[in-house]
PDB file of all heavy atoms in Angstrom:
ATOM      1  N   THR A 354     -10.827   0.568   6.000  1.00 97.00           N
ATOM      2  CA  THR A 354     -12.203   0.650   5.509  1.00 97.00           C
ATOM      3  C   THR A 354     -13.218   0.494   6.639  1.00 97.00           C
ATOM      4  O   THR A 354     -14.414   0.600   6.410  1.00 97.00           O
ATOM      5  CB  THR A 354     -12.462  -0.443   4.459  1.00 97.00           C
ATOM      6  OG1 THR A 354     -12.087  -1.706   5.029  1.00 97.00           O
ATOM      7  CG2 THR A 354     -11.670  -0.195   3.194  1.00 97.00           C
ATOM      8  N   ARG A 361     -10.335   8.901  12.822  1.00 98.00           N
ATOM      9  CA  ARG A 361      -9.555   7.658  12.821  1.00 98.00           C
ATOM     10  C   ARG A 361      -9.283   7.175  11.407  1.00 98.00           C
ATOM     11  O   ARG A 361      -8.205   6.669  11.093  1.00 98.00           O
ATOM     12  CB  ARG A 361     -10.301   6.570  13.595  1.00 98.00           C
ATOM     13  CG  ARG A 361     -10.537   6.890  15.057  1.00 98.00           C
ATOM     14  CD  ARG A 361      -9.238   6.897  15.846  1.00 98.00           C
ATOM     15  NE  ARG A 361      -9.462   7.152  17.261  1.00 98.00           N
ATOM     16  CZ  ARG A 361      -8.839   8.093  17.961  1.00 98.00           C
ATOM     17  NH1 ARG A 361      -7.926   8.872  17.398  1.00 98.00           N
ATOM     18  NH2 ARG A 361      -9.098   8.247  19.244  1.00 98.00           N
ATOM     19  N   ARG A 390      14.984  -4.195  -6.279  1.00 96.00           N
ATOM     20  CA  ARG A 390      13.716  -4.305  -5.561  1.00 96.00           C
ATOM     21  C   ARG A 390      12.953  -5.543  -6.034  1.00 96.00           C
ATOM     22  O   ARG A 390      12.367  -6.262  -5.238  1.00 96.00           O
ATOM     23  CB  ARG A 390      12.870  -3.051  -5.814  1.00 96.00           C
ATOM     24  CG  ARG A 390      11.654  -2.968  -4.888  1.00 96.00           C
ATOM     25  CD  ARG A 390      10.572  -2.054  -5.432  1.00 96.00           C
ATOM     26  NE  ARG A 390      10.863  -0.640  -5.261  1.00 96.00           N
ATOM     27  CZ  ARG A 390       9.969   0.326  -5.561  1.00 96.00           C
ATOM     28  NH1 ARG A 390       8.771   0.029  -6.001  1.00 96.00           N
ATOM     29  NH2 ARG A 390      10.303   1.589  -5.412  1.00 96.00           N
ATOM     30  N   ARG A 582       0.325 -10.832  -0.889  1.00 95.00           N
ATOM     31  CA  ARG A 582       1.446 -10.123  -1.523  1.00 95.00           C
ATOM     32  C   ARG A 582       1.687 -10.654  -2.936  1.00 95.00           C
ATOM     33  O   ARG A 582       1.927  -9.910  -3.869  1.00 95.00           O
ATOM     34  CB  ARG A 582       2.688 -10.324  -0.647  1.00 95.00           C
ATOM     35  CG  ARG A 582       3.788  -9.327  -0.781  1.00 95.00           C
ATOM     36  CD  ARG A 582       3.347  -7.912  -0.555  1.00 95.00           C
ATOM     37  NE  ARG A 582       3.442  -7.171  -1.796  1.00 95.00           N
ATOM     38  CZ  ARG A 582       2.733  -6.091  -2.078  1.00 95.00           C
ATOM     39  NH1 ARG A 582       1.889  -5.584  -1.229  1.00 95.00           N
ATOM     40  NH2 ARG A 582       2.861  -5.484  -3.229  1.00 95.00           N
ATOM     41  N   ARG A 593       3.704  -2.758 -14.385  1.00 96.00           N
ATOM     42  CA  ARG A 593       5.154  -2.559 -14.337  1.00 96.00           C
ATOM     43  C   ARG A 593       5.789  -2.802 -15.707  1.00 96.00           C
ATOM     44  O   ARG A 593       6.715  -2.097 -16.100  1.00 96.00           O
ATOM     45  CB  ARG A 593       5.768  -3.460 -13.259  1.00 96.00           C
ATOM     46  CG  ARG A 593       5.275  -3.100 -11.846  1.00 96.00           C
ATOM     47  CD  ARG A 593       6.042  -3.828 -10.744  1.00 96.00           C
ATOM     48  NE  ARG A 593       5.929  -5.273 -10.828  1.00 96.00           N
ATOM     49  CZ  ARG A 593       4.913  -5.990 -10.359  1.00 96.00           C
ATOM     50  NH1 ARG A 593       3.907  -5.392  -9.758  1.00 96.00           N
ATOM     51  NH2 ARG A 593       4.881  -7.300 -10.491  1.00 96.00           N
TER      52      ARG A 593
ATOM     53  N   GLY B 167      -1.619  -1.109   0.218  1.00 94.00           N
ATOM     54  CA  GLY B 167      -0.948  -2.393   0.411  1.00 94.00           C
ATOM     55  C   GLY B 167      -1.126  -3.338  -0.767  1.00 94.00           C
ATOM     56  O   GLY B 167      -0.557  -4.421  -0.778  1.00 94.00           O
ATOM     57  N   PRO B 170      -0.101  -1.799  -7.688  1.00 96.00           N
ATOM     58  CA  PRO B 170       0.744  -2.501  -8.652  1.00 96.00           C
ATOM     59  C   PRO B 170       2.233  -2.195  -8.465  1.00 96.00           C
ATOM     60  O   PRO B 170       3.084  -2.952  -8.914  1.00 96.00           O
ATOM     61  CB  PRO B 170       0.257  -1.996 -10.008  1.00 96.00           C
ATOM     62  CG  PRO B 170      -0.424  -0.703  -9.719  1.00 96.00           C
ATOM     63  CD  PRO B 170      -0.968  -0.794  -8.329  1.00 96.00           C
ATOM     64  N   GLU B 173       4.914   3.004  -5.473  1.00 95.00           N
ATOM     65  CA  GLU B 173       4.663   4.410  -5.740  1.00 95.00           C
ATOM     66  C   GLU B 173       3.171   4.664  -5.987  1.00 95.00           C
ATOM     67  O   GLU B 173       2.631   5.699  -5.602  1.00 95.00           O
ATOM     68  CB  GLU B 173       5.481   4.887  -6.954  1.00 95.00           C
ATOM     69  CG  GLU B 173       6.975   5.043  -6.691  1.00 95.00           C
ATOM     70  CD  GLU B 173       7.724   3.716  -6.527  1.00 95.00           C
ATOM     71  OE1 GLU B 173       7.141   2.642  -6.804  1.00 95.00           O
ATOM     72  OE2 GLU B 173       8.895   3.760  -6.096  1.00 95.00           O
ATOM     73  N   GLN B 183      -7.034   9.976   0.798  1.00 98.00           N
ATOM     74  CA  GLN B 183      -7.071  10.843   1.985  1.00 98.00           C
ATOM     75  C   GLN B 183      -7.651  12.202   1.638  1.00 98.00           C
ATOM     76  O   GLN B 183      -8.445  12.766   2.396  1.00 98.00           O
ATOM     77  CB  GLN B 183      -5.666  11.013   2.558  1.00 98.00           C
ATOM     78  CG  GLN B 183      -5.155   9.767   3.249  1.00 98.00           C
ATOM     79  CD  GLN B 183      -3.669   9.860   3.551  1.00 98.00           C
ATOM     80  OE1 GLN B 183      -3.215  10.763   4.242  1.00 98.00           O
ATOM     81  NE2 GLN B 183      -2.908   8.917   3.046  1.00 98.00           N
ATOM     82  N   GLU B 376     -19.416  -2.391   5.834  1.00 98.00           N
ATOM     83  CA  GLU B 376     -18.014  -2.529   6.224  1.00 98.00           C
ATOM     84  C   GLU B 376     -17.511  -1.232   6.873  1.00 98.00           C
ATOM     85  O   GLU B 376     -16.870  -1.257   7.928  1.00 98.00           O
ATOM     86  CB  GLU B 376     -17.173  -2.870   4.989  1.00 98.00           C
ATOM     87  CG  GLU B 376     -15.703  -3.063   5.308  1.00 98.00           C
ATOM     88  CD  GLU B 376     -14.900  -3.519   4.084  1.00 98.00           C
ATOM     89  OE1 GLU B 376     -15.476  -4.173   3.182  1.00 98.00           O
ATOM     90  OE2 GLU B 376     -13.697  -3.220   4.043  1.00 98.00           O
ATOM     91  N   TRP B 389     -14.566   6.831  19.854  1.00 96.00           N
ATOM     92  CA  TRP B 389     -13.532   5.885  19.403  1.00 96.00           C
ATOM     93  C   TRP B 389     -12.192   6.568  19.269  1.00 96.00           C
ATOM     94  O   TRP B 389     -11.241   6.022  18.834  1.00 96.00           O
ATOM     95  CB  TRP B 389     -13.953   5.232  18.085  1.00 96.00           C
ATOM     96  CG  TRP B 389     -15.163   4.396  18.269  1.00 96.00           C
ATOM     97  CD1 TRP B 389     -16.469   4.784  18.092  1.00 96.00           C
ATOM     98  CD2 TRP B 389     -15.209   3.022  18.696  1.00 96.00           C
ATOM     99  NE1 TRP B 389     -17.317   3.735  18.375  1.00 96.00           N
ATOM    100  CE2 TRP B 389     -16.571   2.650  18.748  1.00 96.00           C
ATOM    101  CE3 TRP B 389     -14.231   2.083  19.039  1.00 96.00           C
ATOM    102  CZ2 TRP B 389     -16.974   1.365  19.136  1.00 96.00           C
ATOM    103  CZ3 TRP B 389     -14.628   0.816  19.421  1.00 96.00           C
ATOM    104  CH2 TRP B 389     -15.993   0.464  19.471  1.00 96.00           C
TER     105      TRP B 389
END
Side-chain angles (χ1 to χ4, degrees):
Chain A
T354 53
R361 298 292 182 232
R390 191 201 283 187
R582 202 56 247 156
R593 296 189 299 278
Chain B
E173 287 71 10
Q183 288 168 58
E376 181 175 332
W389 295 93

